[in-house]
Amino acid sequence: MLALVVALQAPPAAAAPDTAAVTAIRAGMVIDGTGAAPLKNAVILIKGERIAAIGANVPIPPGAGVIDLSGFTVLPGFIDAHVHLASRTLGDGDWQHAGLTMMPAELALLGAAHAQQTLEAGFTTVRDVGSVHYGDIALRNAITAGWVPGPRIVAAGILFGITGGHCDETDGLAPGVLGHEAGIEEGVADGVDAVRAAVRTMVKNGADVIKICATGGVLSLTDSVGAQQYSEEEMRAVVETARGLARRVAAHAHGTEGIKAAVRAGVTSIEHGTLLDSEAVALMVQHGTWLVPTLMAGDQAMQLVNAGRLPAPIAAKARAIVPRVQSSFRLALRAGVKIALGTDAGVFQHGKNAHEFTLMVRYGMTPMQSIQAGTLSAATLLGREADVGSLAAGKYADIVAVKGDPLQDITALEHVDFVMKGGAVFKRDGQIVGRSDAGVP
Ligand SMILES: [Zn+2]
């Protein structure tokens, strides 16, 4: 109550003195996300939610709170451009049809738990590329309001595609079981008019980005994984409508022809991109299309296949295409395709996301390239590079710290000791210290 009284008695904002508390971080080594050489013994000054200054010679003002990370490597908060927070994790319960068997509120609560796991792992921003029932949008709003802790979310709302396609929530169910034809609520939109309406519906309901299924998928029962699903004409309609409403389009795409059609249609990113060829990567370079390779998803799918935990049709599809993940990634990397880190978390347990850095290095990136992919590059794909993605004055103070030197051993990023989001410490010495109810009215 005292805080409220003080706030009511405070002078108008324009006349208020600049009293935001200043925090100084002493960093042993800084990797700033831009790809620049690391900075030793730097100071980061934080005022309110944002970084005020960073550098080796920045003086610490008297009275500033000091956080000593001089024994750590300090980096921007990580960014995962492909997660599914408000969904049942693969292999858990009725994960295939959770949207039809669970209450929307249950999925949103599960999403809140996943969001906290993600933030604990040092991921301060994610792009959630789709959920049923708009769970990702609800979660984004709850986190923004301070009701629950979690990363900043760029949300897609409901992901959609053709009838019987990878995004069709009723895939594998008996005909007529809904009592009506599957529509946008079940992730289905067929034809140019319907996809235009679907984009508008997503934007109306709060989507920051549009997610479509351009081709078949692995984790759906009936579709053929390599097959193109949306026509190029339908995808052009999606992109044009989204662009008119200032939204970008992410396209789930495994099969080669579907990838090329999506790129020609103007999507911003190809998700997975499993069956690339030289023409596909050349087209991506020409169009400036991003690749979000989701290496962990392939890894996890094969682990579950080998453990006998996936239905036979899905296991067969995984066996057919997962061996191509690594060669396609190398092809894109060599060709100079823009690559952003994205994991498909939800296919595996949330909070393990940083293993993607390790796989990117294992498959050919330098450690610095992988760090850029998971910081400034991912921020740029999301259109949020003015606010997040690197350690620079003016950006949000989204900061993580790890022991050791990730440029020598990239797996250091899998063990995050310190997490700050928007100037508030969430994790310190490996322990959660951020209050989960800090913003609850
Ligand atoms: Zn996905």
Side-chain angles (χ1 to χ4, degrees), residues 229-251:
Q229 295 190 338
Y230 266 140
S231 68
E232 191 170 326
E233 185 193 18
E234 287 169 312
M235 290 194 275
R236 280 188 200 284
V238 168
V239 169
E240 186 187 279
T241 310
R243 215 174 258 164
L245 298 169
R247 298 300 191 281
R248 298 178 180 189
V249 178

Side-chain angles (χ1 to χ4, degrees), residues 82-84 129 159 166 211 252 271-272 294 344-345 347:
H82 191 128
V83 301
H84 301 279
V129 280
L159 56 175
H166 180 59
K211 165 77 178 300
H252 158 104
E271 309 297 311
H272 317 301
T294 66
D344 219 352
V347 167

Side-chain angles (χ1 to χ4, degrees), residues 100-132:
L100 299 168
T101 58
M102 289 174 72
M103 289 179 275
E106 284 181 290
L107 286 168
L109 288 166
L110 182 60
H114 292 156
Q116 174 152 335
Q117 290 175 314
T118 305
L119 186 59
E120 277 186 64
F123 285 78
T124 50
T125 300
V126 299
R127 187 179 59 165
D128 193 309
V129 280
S131 60
V132 291

Side-chain angles (χ1 to χ4, degrees), residues 263-264 279-289 337:
V263 171
R264 284 192 299 263
E279 189 193 14
V281 294
L283 268 177
M284 290 177 77
V285 170
Q286 186 194 330
H287 287 260
T289 316
V337 173

Side-chain angles (χ1 to χ4, degrees), residues 216-309:
V218 176
L219 302 174
S220 36
L221 282 165
T222 61
D223 62 345
S224 158
V225 64
Q228 182 174 337
Q229 295 190 338
Y230 266 140
S231 68
E232 191 170 326
E233 185 193 18
E234 287 169 312
M235 290 194 275
R236 280 188 200 284
V238 168
V239 169
E240 186 187 279
T241 310
R243 215 174 258 164
L245 298 169
R247 298 300 191 281
R248 298 178 180 189
V249 178
H252 158 104
H254 290 293
T256 318
E257 291 315 308
I259 290 170
K260 291 174 190 174
V263 171
R264 284 192 299 263
V267 303
T268 302
S269 62
I270 294 293
E271 309 297 311
H272 317 301
T274 310
L275 304 175
L276 293 173
D277 65 9
S278 53
E279 189 193 14
V281 294
L283 268 177
M284 290 177 77
V285 170
Q286 186 194 330
H287 287 260
T289 316
W290 291 84
L291 174 66
V292 180
T294 66
L295 305 175
M296 285 184 77
D299 234 41
Q300 174 69 4
M302 283 318 293
Q303 284 182 35
L304 291 177
V305 166
N306 294 334
R309 290 183 58 200

Side-chain angles (χ1 to χ4, degrees), residues 414-430:
E414 297 186 36
H415 310 282
V416 170
D417 282 85
F418 175 88
V419 179
M420 170 184 274
K421 181 189 159 207
V425 178
F426 177 70
K427 185 180 189 182
R428 197 167 182 170
D429 301 323

